[in-house]
Amino acid sequence: MPPANAASASSPVAVPARDSSAVDLNSTAQLLGSSPRDLLIGASPRRAGPRSPPSTSIFSQALPVCPAIKEQAEEVLAEETDSIAEELIKVGLITHNLATALEISEPDAGTRERVATIINAYKDKLASRTSTHMGYPYNLDFDYGPLECLQKFMINNLGDPFIESNYGVHSREFEIGVLNWFAKLWEIERDEFWGYVTNCGTEGNLHGILVGRETLPDGILYSSVETHYSVFKAARMYRMDAVEIDTLESGEMDYGHFRAKLMENQDRPAIVNVNIGTTVRGAVDDVDKVLAILDECGFDESNFYIHCDGALFGMMIPFVKKAPKVSFKKPIGSVSVSGHKFVGAPVPCGVVMTRLNLIKSVSSDVEYLNSRDATIMGSRNGHAPIYLWYTLTMKGYSGIQKDVELCLTNAHRLMEMLEAAGIQTMLNELSSTVVFERPQEEAFVRKWQLACESDIAHVVVMPNISIEKLEMFVKELVESRERVKSKTCSEIHAH
């Protein structure tokens, strides 16, 4: 490692020497495959080709900055241009809703009663917050009471779901049942797929992109600027070159820009993340158009890999007749969905599926387990597959289709109610995510747990959100807007 006061060969910034406990910004940037400037403003690393305009997404900008790095930033800013300082100020840190700690004390005679009081109060809090949940895509309409008898068991599906390990308290039979259900949904034969129940949707993206990177080691990751942040997190973790693709007003990938970026890098394989429902606007990238463009640009199945991020809408799209079909009959490499979103579960979980012939590149024997492992986490929550199996068994494909139809219908009802109230809205054709003007009252945003970005907010209409709840939401939103309007008028008159 070069002396702390020497400039890195990849960076023009000379960082003054600091004590050994300090963080070297240049070294940290090199380790993450980034630059000091990008590290400060939370940008994604190792972009291939010309840099795209910075995204206005608060999700991409609000990355936490280590205090030591933040302190060292003052020295770096003195060496670089004033514009970086301005960017750093604009980015800031989201710290206005800091969580508090529930301290742990040594047990005494009153501990049992005190803990019972705390848990009961927490249960009431959860019930209250659940009743006004609208902004995040979680289906809270589930009842796993019949499964409570399993809570006393530590169920761990460590290792490969298809190969039992020496640990016998697992739920592999449920997990494989769930995988078979999704294999039918995504049209792949049972002897041609590999997959597992993940701990969340992000893990599914990490795994799908890892398989793509291992299949095409020199590949460039392409994904739209409205992609979930976990995709470019994967690029940072795997030190991949990445290209952000512009989007249309709807949030869907700009296919013309995608084509242009592919042409700039025709000498390298393409690893493409296709969004089956973007985070904020619920836009769906058309996998058929992506495949056609790859073909037009001279890419064949030997030098491209497609991962479909279907966190929420990957469960819904198969039941919408006019939607682009997500199917392994097409040359895609992997699909991931979240289990706790549309299906609904008391714990975060998900499913990732890929082709069996691709998994060998990330799989290895583990003698300690007496099994193989190609998962990201190793140990996996064995209760999650049981929750998914239970719901899918009780509802079936027909029950899921009814839920999809209900959500899409109620999303249109919400849009109509908002527009009738004079509130600008947007709803993509294949989506249950209703986008509208961001409310000005922070208390209203917090109460209804709205996801906001820049000047917009959204409600994701899920099976648990009734028409009555939507009516209450619109009523309170109108009242909130009136309060803001009245306050603004009063301030104007006061001046």
Side-chain angles (χ1 to χ4, degrees):
M1 179 180 294
N5 60 349
S8 167
S10 61
S11 170
V13 183
V15 181
R18 301 185 60 83
D19 62 76
S20 59
S21 63
V23 176
D24 186 319
L25 195 60
N26 284 313
S27 298
T28 304
Q30 285 183 326
L31 182 63
L32 297 178
S34 185
S35 69
R37 175 187 180 280
D38 286 350
L39 200 61
L40 293 174
I41 66 173
S44 298
R46 305 190 69 197
R47 294 285 184 258
R51 182 179 296 278
S52 300
S55 169
T56 57
S57 167
I58 60 172
F59 295 122
S60 66
Q61 293 183 347
L63 298 174
V65 177
C66 170
I69 292 179
K70 188 177 181 183
E71 178 184 351
Q72 196 177 0
E74 297 176 1
E75 298 172 1
V76 175
L77 295 178
E79 299 287 333
E80 289 204 339
T81 63
D82 292 337
S83 63
I84 298 181
E86 294 172 359
E87 287 181 304
L88 187 59
I89 292 171
K90 289 178 183 178
V91 172
L93 298 173
I94 296 180
T95 58
H96 52 279
N97 292 314
L98 292 176
T100 58
L102 190 59
E103 299 295 345
I104 299 174
S105 57
E106 287 299 302
D108 56 31
T111 295
R112 189 175 297 274
E113 181 179 353
R114 184 170 64 254
V115 168
T117 300
I118 290 172
I119 296 301
N120 285 331
Y122 181 60
K123 178 183 176 182
D124 292 341
K125 175 186 175 181
L126 292 179
S128 174
R129 299 303 283 141
T130 297
S131 68
T132 56
H133 171 268
M134 299 278 274
Y136 294 87
Y138 307 140
N139 181 7
L140 306 180
D141 182 22
F142 56 80
D143 179 11
Y144 291 110
L147 305 182
E148 289 181 1
C149 60
L150 304 178
Q151 293 303 306
K152 63 181 179 179
F153 297 104
M154 208 298 287
I155 309 176
N156 188 345
N157 288 5
L158 71 171
D160 192 299
F162 297 93
I163 303 174
E164 293 191 13
S165 73
N166 287 342
Y167 184 72
V169 188
H170 61 78
S171 62
R172 279 179 169 79
E173 58 267 60
F174 294 93
E175 182 171 19
I176 296 173
V178 169
L179 293 172
N180 288 340
W181 191 93
F182 279 97
K184 182 178 178 181
L185 187 70
W186 294 327
E187 300 183 320
I188 185 170
E189 297 299 321
R190 294 187 179 187
D191 60 353
E192 295 179 357
F193 81 83
W194 186 91
Y196 70 99
V197 173
T198 63
N199 291 299
C200 60
T202 289
E203 184 180 351
N205 286 339
L206 292 176
H207 192 277
I209 293 169
L210 176 62
V211 175
R213 200 283 307 271
E214 294 298 287
T215 303
L216 302 170
D218 192 39
I220 296 174
L221 176 65
Y222 298 85
S223 196
S224 84
V225 295
E226 298 216 15
T227 292
H228 189 262
Y229 69 91
S230 62
V231 171
F232 288 112
K233 176 195 286 188
R236 292 195 295 271
M237 291 175 64
Y238 304 147
R239 298 180 63 80
M240 298 172 66
D241 287 338
V243 173
E244 290 180 334
I245 304 301
D246 293 340
T247 55
L248 306 174
E249 187 176 351
S250 65
E252 185 177 357
M253 178 187 291
D254 182 331
Y255 302 105
H257 190 234
F258 175 55
R259 181 184 289 103
K261 290 299 181 181
L262 283 176
M263 294 301 290
E264 290 178 8
N265 300 285
Q266 281 184 300
D267 59 331
R268 294 177 62 185
I271 300 170
V272 187
N273 177 75
V274 173
N275 292 309
I276 312 301
T278 56
T279 306
V280 178
R281 292 177 171 83
V284 176
D285 297 335
D286 191 326
V287 66
D288 293 325
K289 289 184 180 179
V290 168
L291 287 168
I293 292 169
L294 284 164
D295 181 63
E296 291 170 15
C297 295
F299 291 81
D300 58 33
E301 293 183 36
S302 68
N303 63 349
F304 76 75
Y305 178 98
I306 293 178
H307 171 69
C308 297
D309 176 11
L312 171 61
F313 295 108
M315 279 290 299
M316 301 175 68
I317 284 294
F319 300 96
V320 182
K321 292 181 180 179
K322 52 188 174 181
K325 201 167 189 179
V326 177
S327 169
F328 278 97
K329 289 184 178 180
K330 302 174 183 179
I332 63 175
S334 53
V335 184
S336 64
V337 295
S338 295
H340 59 287
K341 291 181 178 174
F342 198 78
V343 176
V347 295
C349 56
V351 170
V352 65
M353 187 166 290
T354 185
R355 298 179 185 275
L356 182 61
N357 66 304
L358 298 177
I359 203 61
K360 295 177 182 178
S361 61
V362 295
S363 183
S364 59
D365 290 331
V366 183
E367 183 179 4
Y368 170 75
L369 302 179
N370 192 30
S371 180
R372 291 183 64 78
D373 190 19
T375 67
I376 294 288
M377 302 305 294
S379 284
R380 294 178 291 106
N381 185 344
H383 291 271
I386 303 174
Y387 294 136
L388 297 180
W389 179 91
Y390 181 85
T391 294
L392 297 176
T393 299
M394 298 300 287
K395 288 189 174 183
Y397 294 104
S398 60
I400 297 295
Q401 180 162 358
K402 289 179 181 178
D403 283 347
V404 171
E405 292 170 354
L406 175 67
C407 291
L408 295 178
T409 299
N410 286 350
H412 280 86
R413 290 283 299 276
L414 174 58
M415 181 180 69
E416 292 168 358
M417 286 189 280
L418 290 170
E419 289 180 341
I423 301 170
Q424 293 184 348
T425 65
M426 185 193 83
L427 174 61
N428 277 304
E429 184 180 12
L430 305 174
S431 176
S432 66
T433 300
V434 181
V435 182
F436 54 94
E437 303 168 52
R438 180 174 185 161
Q440 298 300 304
E441 284 189 327
E442 182 64 19
F444 179 85
V445 171
R446 293 284 289 173
K447 175 182 178 179
W448 289 97
Q449 301 160 67
L450 300 180
C452 301
E453 182 178 280
S454 186
D455 59 350
I456 62 175
H458 73 207
V459 163
V460 185
V461 180
M462 300 298 285
N464 64 292
I465 298 181
S466 64
I467 290 294
E468 291 74 22
K469 182 177 287 191
L470 293 175
E471 290 173 342
M472 181 189 302
F473 170 79
V474 173
K475 176 178 177 293
E476 293 192 11
L477 176 56
V478 170
E479 293 171 352
S480 171
R481 288 165 63 90
E482 286 298 320
R483 285 193 297 271
V484 171
K485 182 179 178 180
S486 177
K487 181 180 178 181
T488 302
C489 290
S490 297
E491 291 175 349
I492 292 175
H493 290 312
H495 288 83

